[in-house]
Amino acid sequence: MWCLELLLPLLLFINDASCQWNVWLPRDISAMTNSCVVIPCTFMYPSGIRPNRGIHGIWYFGQPYPQLFPPVVFKSRTDVVHESYKGRTKLLGDLHQRNCTLLINNIGTEHSGRYYFRADLGGANIYTYPDFTELKVLDQPNIDVPEEIVSDESLELTCYAPDNCPDMTPEIQWMYTDYLPDPEFSPDLVEDSNTAVLSNTLTFTPRPMHNGQLLGCRVYYPNTTLAYERFISLDVKYAPRSVWVNASSEVMEGSSVTLHCEVDSNPPARIAWMFGDQELLWDTASNVSLTLDDVTPANEGIYTCVGDNGYGIMNTSLYLAVKYPPHEPVVNDSITVVEGTTLALHCSTQGSPAPTLTWLKDGQLVGTITADELSVLTIVEITPQGDGQYRCLAENEHGRASSSLNITVEYAPVLLEESKCTVVREGVQCVCMATGNPEPTIEFYLPDLNITINETDGRYNFYTHTDGHTSTGMIKLREKGERVDNGSPAVNVHCSISNAYGRESILLELQQEKKYMMAVIVGTIGGVAVIAFIIAAVRYVGHNNKKENGNPRQDVVLENPALYYSAVKKDKQNLRKKVLKTELLGSKFNSILEETTGEDGDFQSVGSMAGLERQELNYASLEFIGARSREGASGRRDDGSNYTEIKAK
């Protein structure tokens, strides 16, 4: 420790006549509290001075000017020293040998400061040297920490303890090193300007996990209770080692979402939120949040959080999916096509999740259901039945939307089976019905007369009507013409139908009007039934009258009676009721006949017989086919028809 023995011969060698007032002592020296310190000191004075009464020395604290009364640390002439140094100081050097080395025991932190030496050679030869020693009294050891500790780079930490107390030698020990990767310890002793410093160097390679870890250095003096500790927290710089963001998520259109990002790095990184190549937000911190309000489908995509702190860059991404109902589908414009054309109908939309697309025609499913944003409906060689409204329906779990188009199919006219000629009361009626697009034009042609009948011909009762794509034409021919073998009129009527896509002509067949014939049959049967009802009513009235008068008539005998009538005054009221019933039945029958034939019936209602009570009924004449007349009660008309005459009194 001590090299003063080497220093003094050197100083004596350079001591010559030119030597002036001079002193050598360490500029800085340190000691631990409650220990001791030795301040090495050597002084010089001019060679021409001869101390007569010996050499004395004084140590001051704080300043070198006695007139300012600085605290006296040591004084060789007396024991008068400052109160804080009593019993603590001792001069180790020999002043006559120009050695002014001072020992201070049991020092405290209050003793830290500058120490000056003053030489007293007697008389006026007293001099205070301006050089000084700066004493640092430490209550904990020093640890030399580099300005920057970088992860994965070797690190050396050195703990220092002063060794300037001859009676005590300290020892240094590192604490909390159990979790360090392969630590190494290197003790050492450094002497500089007659001051000694013990050291112990800790070497290891820090990792990001060691950032903030506590390390300690302990200095203690064996066989004493003196121990000193100092702790440091490692500030390990490292590049971002993890970037945490939200998991990929789904949000509804119009809602808000917040994206979080945390970066583990030292120092804190510059965190930036990126959407594609666009930087949306940045800040220097350990975490940054990005809030998106009123989210739209345009916000869907990949969001990346980038962390950069100068030691490295790291990033992590997430996918933000925006859910929304399908947009209104885009479909073809409404079109008009010719029969046989092949069409491709396109329907495209957007939705999340991808919507299902359904094609409907007039409300009925056509094609297949597609789970995609595009659907193509192919119609091969379209027919007239393909005419109508086509609707594309897009739907997903969040809603539905649809768009429509109309397809108009144009085609050549087609004759309908309802086209025919029929016999009616006025003559012959011909109906021609055809469908086509555009609506067909209908004309009638009479080859026998070489006449074409259309809307411009007013000589015939010609009628046309259009309903959608169906046209109807009708004429009535009042001349029934010649009759063929079966008794039907002979007709020769052609119907011509035409539009822009074609023309067709066909001979209309004559068909008997079955409904009309049925009406005749029903009318005949109905008439007989009415007459039978009247006969029954008359017989009933006559029978009652016979019982009351007790004089039944025996002069009328009918093998095949057609009518039996008695006009008894007393039964007029009963007869009126029955005749009224007959009138109602006749009216109902005529109504049925009109509905069946479509014409006004040729039959007159028997209800006119209700006037019988207001007239004197003399006789009734009825024609019966195959009736046998009784002698004296029947006759024959000029036309050969049989009749039966019934007279009343």
PDB file of all heavy atoms in Angstrom, residues 198-223:
ATOM      1  N   LEU A 198      -9.682  -0.959  -3.199  1.00  0.00           N
ATOM      2  CA  LEU A 198      -9.990  -2.340  -3.528  1.00  0.00           C
ATOM      3  C   LEU A 198     -11.169  -2.350  -4.511  1.00  0.00           C
ATOM      4  O   LEU A 198     -12.065  -1.503  -4.446  1.00  0.00           O
ATOM      5  CB  LEU A 198     -10.381  -3.113  -2.276  1.00  0.00           C
ATOM      6  CG  LEU A 198      -9.239  -3.553  -1.348  1.00  0.00           C
ATOM      7  CD1 LEU A 198      -9.841  -4.244  -0.116  1.00  0.00           C
ATOM      8  CD2 LEU A 198      -8.309  -4.506  -2.072  1.00  0.00           C
ATOM      9  N   SER A 199     -11.193  -3.344  -5.387  1.00  0.00           N
ATOM     10  CA  SER A 199     -12.294  -3.454  -6.353  1.00  0.00           C
ATOM     11  C   SER A 199     -12.647  -4.916  -6.573  1.00  0.00           C
ATOM     12  O   SER A 199     -11.831  -5.803  -6.350  1.00  0.00           O
ATOM     13  CB  SER A 199     -11.926  -2.804  -7.688  1.00  0.00           C
ATOM     14  OG  SER A 199     -10.892  -3.527  -8.328  1.00  0.00           O
ATOM     15  N   ASN A 200     -13.864  -5.106  -7.027  1.00  0.00           N
ATOM     16  CA  ASN A 200     -14.328  -6.439  -7.414  1.00  0.00           C
ATOM     17  C   ASN A 200     -15.249  -6.249  -8.628  1.00  0.00           C
ATOM     18  O   ASN A 200     -16.264  -5.560  -8.552  1.00  0.00           O
ATOM     19  CB  ASN A 200     -15.082  -7.118  -6.273  1.00  0.00           C
ATOM     20  CG  ASN A 200     -15.278  -8.605  -6.528  1.00  0.00           C
ATOM     21  OD1 ASN A 200     -15.482  -9.028  -7.653  1.00  0.00           O
ATOM     22  ND2 ASN A 200     -15.213  -9.388  -5.459  1.00  0.00           N
ATOM     23  N   THR A 201     -14.861  -6.887  -9.728  1.00  0.00           N
ATOM     24  CA  THR A 201     -15.586  -6.710 -10.990  1.00  0.00           C
ATOM     25  C   THR A 201     -16.448  -7.932 -11.278  1.00  0.00           C
ATOM     26  O   THR A 201     -15.958  -9.065 -11.262  1.00  0.00           O
ATOM     27  CB  THR A 201     -14.611  -6.465 -12.145  1.00  0.00           C
ATOM     28  OG1 THR A 201     -13.826  -5.295 -11.873  1.00  0.00           O
ATOM     29  CG2 THR A 201     -15.375  -6.287 -13.453  1.00  0.00           C
ATOM     30  N   LEU A 202     -17.747  -7.657 -11.547  1.00  0.00           N
ATOM     31  CA  LEU A 202     -18.715  -8.690 -11.906  1.00  0.00           C
ATOM     32  C   LEU A 202     -18.925  -8.636 -13.420  1.00  0.00           C
ATOM     33  O   LEU A 202     -19.272  -7.590 -13.977  1.00  0.00           O
ATOM     34  CB  LEU A 202     -20.045  -8.457 -11.184  1.00  0.00           C
ATOM     35  CG  LEU A 202     -21.238  -9.297 -11.644  1.00  0.00           C
ATOM     36  CD1 LEU A 202     -20.989 -10.780 -11.405  1.00  0.00           C
ATOM     37  CD2 LEU A 202     -22.508  -8.833 -10.932  1.00  0.00           C
ATOM     38  N   THR A 203     -18.720  -9.790 -14.081  1.00  0.00           N
ATOM     39  CA  THR A 203     -18.872  -9.854 -15.541  1.00  0.00           C
ATOM     40  C   THR A 203     -19.937 -10.887 -15.898  1.00  0.00           C
ATOM     41  O   THR A 203     -19.896 -12.027 -15.425  1.00  0.00           O
ATOM     42  CB  THR A 203     -17.546 -10.230 -16.203  1.00  0.00           C
ATOM     43  OG1 THR A 203     -16.531  -9.293 -15.824  1.00  0.00           O
ATOM     44  CG2 THR A 203     -17.688 -10.239 -17.717  1.00  0.00           C
ATOM     45  N   PHE A 204     -20.902 -10.483 -16.759  1.00  0.00           N
ATOM     46  CA  PHE A 204     -21.935 -11.398 -17.254  1.00  0.00           C
ATOM     47  C   PHE A 204     -22.577 -10.770 -18.494  1.00  0.00           C
ATOM     48  O   PHE A 204     -22.319  -9.608 -18.837  1.00  0.00           O
ATOM     49  CB  PHE A 204     -22.989 -11.681 -16.180  1.00  0.00           C
ATOM     50  CG  PHE A 204     -23.858 -10.501 -15.846  1.00  0.00           C
ATOM     51  CD1 PHE A 204     -25.128 -10.375 -16.389  1.00  0.00           C
ATOM     52  CD2 PHE A 204     -23.394  -9.503 -14.979  1.00  0.00           C
ATOM     53  CE1 PHE A 204     -25.923  -9.294 -16.082  1.00  0.00           C
ATOM     54  CE2 PHE A 204     -24.185  -8.419 -14.682  1.00  0.00           C
ATOM     55  CZ  PHE A 204     -25.455  -8.303 -15.227  1.00  0.00           C
ATOM     56  N   THR A 205     -23.415 -11.557 -19.152  1.00  0.00           N
ATOM     57  CA  THR A 205     -24.130 -11.076 -20.349  1.00  0.00           C
ATOM     58  C   THR A 205     -25.608 -10.933 -20.001  1.00  0.00           C
ATOM     59  O   THR A 205     -26.309 -11.931 -19.794  1.00  0.00           O
ATOM     60  CB  THR A 205     -23.967 -12.053 -21.521  1.00  0.00           C
ATOM     61  OG1 THR A 205     -22.579 -12.189 -21.828  1.00  0.00           O
ATOM     62  CG2 THR A 205     -24.706 -11.545 -22.758  1.00  0.00           C
ATOM     63  N   PRO A 206     -26.094  -9.713 -19.926  1.00  0.00           N
ATOM     64  CA  PRO A 206     -27.497  -9.511 -19.524  1.00  0.00           C
ATOM     65  C   PRO A 206     -28.464  -9.882 -20.646  1.00  0.00           C
ATOM     66  O   PRO A 206     -28.131  -9.874 -21.827  1.00  0.00           O
ATOM     67  CB  PRO A 206     -27.552  -8.020 -19.205  1.00  0.00           C
ATOM     68  CG  PRO A 206     -26.492  -7.416 -20.065  1.00  0.00           C
ATOM     69  CD  PRO A 206     -25.393  -8.444 -20.167  1.00  0.00           C
ATOM     70  N   ARG A 207     -29.659 -10.201 -20.252  1.00  0.00           N
ATOM     71  CA  ARG A 207     -30.763 -10.487 -21.156  1.00  0.00           C
ATOM     72  C   ARG A 207     -31.904  -9.512 -20.839  1.00  0.00           C
ATOM     73  O   ARG A 207     -31.903  -8.849 -19.808  1.00  0.00           O
ATOM     74  CB  ARG A 207     -31.257 -11.925 -20.975  1.00  0.00           C
ATOM     75  CG  ARG A 207     -30.200 -12.973 -21.220  1.00  0.00           C
ATOM     76  CD  ARG A 207     -29.941 -13.169 -22.704  1.00  0.00           C
ATOM     77  NE  ARG A 207     -29.031 -14.287 -22.951  1.00  0.00           N
ATOM     78  CZ  ARG A 207     -27.736 -14.184 -23.089  1.00  0.00           C
ATOM     79  NH1 ARG A 207     -27.154 -12.994 -23.005  1.00  0.00           N
ATOM     80  NH2 ARG A 207     -26.991 -15.254 -23.328  1.00  0.00           N
ATOM     81  N   PRO A 208     -32.899  -9.438 -21.750  1.00  0.00           N
ATOM     82  CA  PRO A 208     -34.027  -8.540 -21.452  1.00  0.00           C
ATOM     83  C   PRO A 208     -34.690  -8.846 -20.119  1.00  0.00           C
ATOM     84  O   PRO A 208     -35.183  -7.935 -19.450  1.00  0.00           O
ATOM     85  CB  PRO A 208     -34.980  -8.780 -22.624  1.00  0.00           C
ATOM     86  CG  PRO A 208     -34.084  -9.175 -23.759  1.00  0.00           C
ATOM     87  CD  PRO A 208     -32.993  -9.978 -23.121  1.00  0.00           C
ATOM     88  N   MET A 209     -34.663 -10.119 -19.712  1.00  0.00           N
ATOM     89  CA  MET A 209     -35.274 -10.485 -18.453  1.00  0.00           C
ATOM     90  C   MET A 209     -34.558  -9.881 -17.251  1.00  0.00           C
ATOM     91  O   MET A 209     -35.128  -9.800 -16.155  1.00  0.00           O
ATOM     92  CB  MET A 209     -35.299 -12.006 -18.304  1.00  0.00           C
ATOM     93  CG  MET A 209     -33.912 -12.640 -18.312  1.00  0.00           C
ATOM     94  SD  MET A 209     -33.936 -14.434 -18.097  1.00  0.00           S
ATOM     95  CE  MET A 209     -34.630 -14.583 -16.481  1.00  0.00           C
ATOM     96  N   HIS A 210     -33.306  -9.452 -17.441  1.00  0.00           N
ATOM     97  CA  HIS A 210     -32.551  -8.886 -16.327  1.00  0.00           C
ATOM     98  C   HIS A 210     -32.814  -7.405 -16.146  1.00  0.00           C
ATOM     99  O   HIS A 210     -32.301  -6.796 -15.190  1.00  0.00           O
ATOM    100  CB  HIS A 210     -31.042  -9.118 -16.528  1.00  0.00           C
ATOM    101  CG  HIS A 210     -30.678 -10.561 -16.592  1.00  0.00           C
ATOM    102  ND1 HIS A 210     -29.894 -11.095 -17.588  1.00  0.00           N
ATOM    103  CD2 HIS A 210     -31.017 -11.600 -15.779  1.00  0.00           C
ATOM    104  CE1 HIS A 210     -29.742 -12.387 -17.391  1.00  0.00           C
ATOM    105  NE2 HIS A 210     -30.420 -12.723 -16.310  1.00  0.00           N
ATOM    106  N   ASN A 211     -33.608  -6.820 -17.068  1.00  0.00           N
ATOM    107  CA  ASN A 211     -33.911  -5.400 -16.921  1.00  0.00           C
ATOM    108  C   ASN A 211     -34.694  -5.182 -15.632  1.00  0.00           C
ATOM    109  O   ASN A 211     -35.694  -5.849 -15.368  1.00  0.00           O
ATOM    110  CB  ASN A 211     -34.726  -4.909 -18.110  1.00  0.00           C
ATOM    111  CG  ASN A 211     -35.032  -3.435 -18.018  1.00  0.00           C
ATOM    112  OD1 ASN A 211     -34.146  -2.615 -17.814  1.00  0.00           O
ATOM    113  ND2 ASN A 211     -36.308  -3.085 -18.169  1.00  0.00           N
ATOM    114  N   GLY A 212     -34.185  -4.251 -14.833  1.00  0.00           N
ATOM    115  CA  GLY A 212     -34.812  -3.953 -13.555  1.00  0.00           C
ATOM    116  C   GLY A 212     -34.377  -4.855 -12.422  1.00  0.00           C
ATOM    117  O   GLY A 212     -34.840  -4.681 -11.288  1.00  0.00           O
ATOM    118  N   GLN A 213     -33.477  -5.816 -12.687  1.00  0.00           N
ATOM    119  CA  GLN A 213     -33.043  -6.718 -11.624  1.00  0.00           C
ATOM    120  C   GLN A 213     -32.135  -5.979 -10.647  1.00  0.00           C
ATOM    121  O   GLN A 213     -31.326  -5.125 -11.019  1.00  0.00           O
ATOM    122  CB  GLN A 213     -32.315  -7.920 -12.208  1.00  0.00           C
ATOM    123  CG  GLN A 213     -31.874  -8.926 -11.135  1.00  0.00           C
ATOM    124  CD  GLN A 213     -31.392 -10.226 -11.740  1.00  0.00           C
ATOM    125  OE1 GLN A 213     -31.824 -10.592 -12.826  1.00  0.00           O
ATOM    126  NE2 GLN A 213     -30.501 -10.919 -11.028  1.00  0.00           N
ATOM    127  N   LEU A 214     -32.249  -6.342  -9.385  1.00  0.00           N
ATOM    128  CA  LEU A 214     -31.481  -5.707  -8.321  1.00  0.00           C
ATOM    129  C   LEU A 214     -30.174  -6.455  -8.101  1.00  0.00           C
ATOM    130  O   LEU A 214     -30.152  -7.676  -7.991  1.00  0.00           O
ATOM    131  CB  LEU A 214     -32.299  -5.691  -7.032  1.00  0.00           C
ATOM    132  CG  LEU A 214     -31.799  -4.786  -5.906  1.00  0.00           C
ATOM    133  CD1 LEU A 214     -31.909  -3.323  -6.299  1.00  0.00           C
ATOM    134  CD2 LEU A 214     -32.607  -5.058  -4.627  1.00  0.00           C
ATOM    135  N   LEU A 215     -29.070  -5.700  -8.045  1.00  0.00           N
ATOM    136  CA  LEU A 215     -27.749  -6.238  -7.699  1.00  0.00           C
ATOM    137  C   LEU A 215     -27.189  -5.428  -6.542  1.00  0.00           C
ATOM    138  O   LEU A 215     -27.447  -4.217  -6.417  1.00  0.00           O
ATOM    139  CB  LEU A 215     -26.792  -6.169  -8.881  1.00  0.00           C
ATOM    140  CG  LEU A 215     -27.055  -7.135 -10.051  1.00  0.00           C
ATOM    141  CD1 LEU A 215     -26.051  -6.880 -11.157  1.00  0.00           C
ATOM    142  CD2 LEU A 215     -26.984  -8.576  -9.587  1.00  0.00           C
ATOM    143  N   GLY A 216     -26.372  -6.087  -5.710  1.00  0.00           N
ATOM    144  CA  GLY A 216     -25.816  -5.395  -4.551  1.00  0.00           C
ATOM    145  C   GLY A 216     -24.329  -5.668  -4.368  1.00  0.00           C
ATOM    146  O   GLY A 216     -23.846  -6.746  -4.711  1.00  0.00           O
ATOM    147  N   CYS A 217     -23.637  -4.668  -3.826  1.00  0.00           N
ATOM    148  CA  CYS A 217     -22.216  -4.811  -3.471  1.00  0.00           C
ATOM    149  C   CYS A 217     -22.094  -4.561  -1.970  1.00  0.00           C
ATOM    150  O   CYS A 217     -22.565  -3.524  -1.465  1.00  0.00           O
ATOM    151  CB  CYS A 217     -21.368  -3.813  -4.250  1.00  0.00           C
ATOM    152  SG  CYS A 217     -19.618  -3.834  -3.767  1.00  0.00           S
ATOM    153  N   ARG A 218     -21.417  -5.486  -1.295  1.00  0.00           N
ATOM    154  CA  ARG A 218     -21.276  -5.392   0.160  1.00  0.00           C
ATOM    155  C   ARG A 218     -19.788  -5.283   0.521  1.00  0.00           C
ATOM    156  O   ARG A 218     -18.972  -6.100   0.108  1.00  0.00           O
ATOM    157  CB  ARG A 218     -21.879  -6.616   0.834  1.00  0.00           C
ATOM    158  CG  ARG A 218     -21.886  -6.566   2.362  1.00  0.00           C
ATOM    159  CD  ARG A 218     -22.696  -7.743   2.898  1.00  0.00           C
ATOM    160  NE  ARG A 218     -22.829  -7.686   4.328  1.00  0.00           N
ATOM    161  CZ  ARG A 218     -21.977  -8.246   5.207  1.00  0.00           C
ATOM    162  NH1 ARG A 218     -20.931  -8.934   4.757  1.00  0.00           N
ATOM    163  NH2 ARG A 218     -22.169  -8.142   6.505  1.00  0.00           N
ATOM    164  N   VAL A 219     -19.471  -4.243   1.255  1.00  0.00           N
ATOM    165  CA  VAL A 219     -18.103  -4.026   1.752  1.00  0.00           C
ATOM    166  C   VAL A 219     -18.125  -4.183   3.276  1.00  0.00           C
ATOM    167  O   VAL A 219     -18.932  -3.527   3.950  1.00  0.00           O
ATOM    168  CB  VAL A 219     -17.577  -2.633   1.364  1.00  0.00           C
ATOM    169  CG1 VAL A 219     -16.197  -2.394   1.992  1.00  0.00           C
ATOM    170  CG2 VAL A 219     -17.521  -2.484  -0.145  1.00  0.00           C
ATOM    171  N   TYR A 220     -17.246  -5.032   3.769  1.00  0.00           N
ATOM    172  CA  TYR A 220     -17.213  -5.244   5.220  1.00  0.00           C
ATOM    173  C   TYR A 220     -15.759  -5.411   5.666  1.00  0.00           C
ATOM    174  O   TYR A 220     -14.870  -5.742   4.878  1.00  0.00           O
ATOM    175  CB  TYR A 220     -18.035  -6.471   5.602  1.00  0.00           C
ATOM    176  CG  TYR A 220     -17.471  -7.770   5.085  1.00  0.00           C
ATOM    177  CD1 TYR A 220     -16.659  -8.590   5.909  1.00  0.00           C
ATOM    178  CD2 TYR A 220     -17.731  -8.205   3.780  1.00  0.00           C
ATOM    179  CE1 TYR A 220     -16.145  -9.779   5.425  1.00  0.00           C
ATOM    180  CE2 TYR A 220     -17.225  -9.391   3.303  1.00  0.00           C
ATOM    181  CZ  TYR A 220     -16.433 -10.183   4.130  1.00  0.00           C
ATOM    182  OH  TYR A 220     -15.897 -11.349   3.664  1.00  0.00           O
ATOM    183  N   TYR A 221     -15.595  -5.133   6.936  1.00  0.00           N
ATOM    184  CA  TYR A 221     -14.263  -5.273   7.534  1.00  0.00           C
ATOM    185  C   TYR A 221     -14.300  -6.469   8.472  1.00  0.00           C
ATOM    186  O   TYR A 221     -15.061  -6.488   9.444  1.00  0.00           O
ATOM    187  CB  TYR A 221     -13.874  -4.014   8.308  1.00  0.00           C
ATOM    188  CG  TYR A 221     -13.639  -2.822   7.404  1.00  0.00           C
ATOM    189  CD1 TYR A 221     -14.679  -1.957   7.072  1.00  0.00           C
ATOM    190  CD2 TYR A 221     -12.366  -2.567   6.900  1.00  0.00           C
ATOM    191  CE1 TYR A 221     -14.460  -0.872   6.252  1.00  0.00           C
ATOM    192  CE2 TYR A 221     -12.138  -1.464   6.072  1.00  0.00           C
ATOM    193  CZ  TYR A 221     -13.192  -0.628   5.748  1.00  0.00           C
ATOM    194  OH  TYR A 221     -12.974   0.458   4.931  1.00  0.00           O
ATOM    195  N   PRO A 222     -13.470  -7.455   8.169  1.00  0.00           N
ATOM    196  CA  PRO A 222     -13.464  -8.649   9.026  1.00  0.00           C
ATOM    197  C   PRO A 222     -13.128  -8.302  10.473  1.00  0.00           C
ATOM    198  O   PRO A 222     -12.382  -7.351  10.746  1.00  0.00           O
ATOM    199  CB  PRO A 222     -12.379  -9.523   8.399  1.00  0.00           C
ATOM    200  CG  PRO A 222     -12.278  -9.052   6.981  1.00  0.00           C
ATOM    201  CD  PRO A 222     -12.547  -7.571   7.037  1.00  0.00           C
ATOM    202  N   ASN A 223     -13.700  -9.060  11.357  1.00  0.00           N
ATOM    203  CA  ASN A 223     -13.467  -8.918  12.795  1.00  0.00           C
ATOM    204  C   ASN A 223     -14.016  -7.605  13.343  1.00  0.00           C
ATOM    205  O   ASN A 223     -13.629  -7.166  14.435  1.00  0.00           O
ATOM    206  CB  ASN A 223     -11.984  -9.036  13.140  1.00  0.00           C
ATOM    207  CG  ASN A 223     -11.398 -10.357  12.678  1.00  0.00           C
ATOM    208  OD1 ASN A 223     -12.033 -11.408  12.782  1.00  0.00           O
ATOM    209  ND2 ASN A 223     -10.183 -10.315  12.134  1.00  0.00           N
TER     210      ASN A 223
END
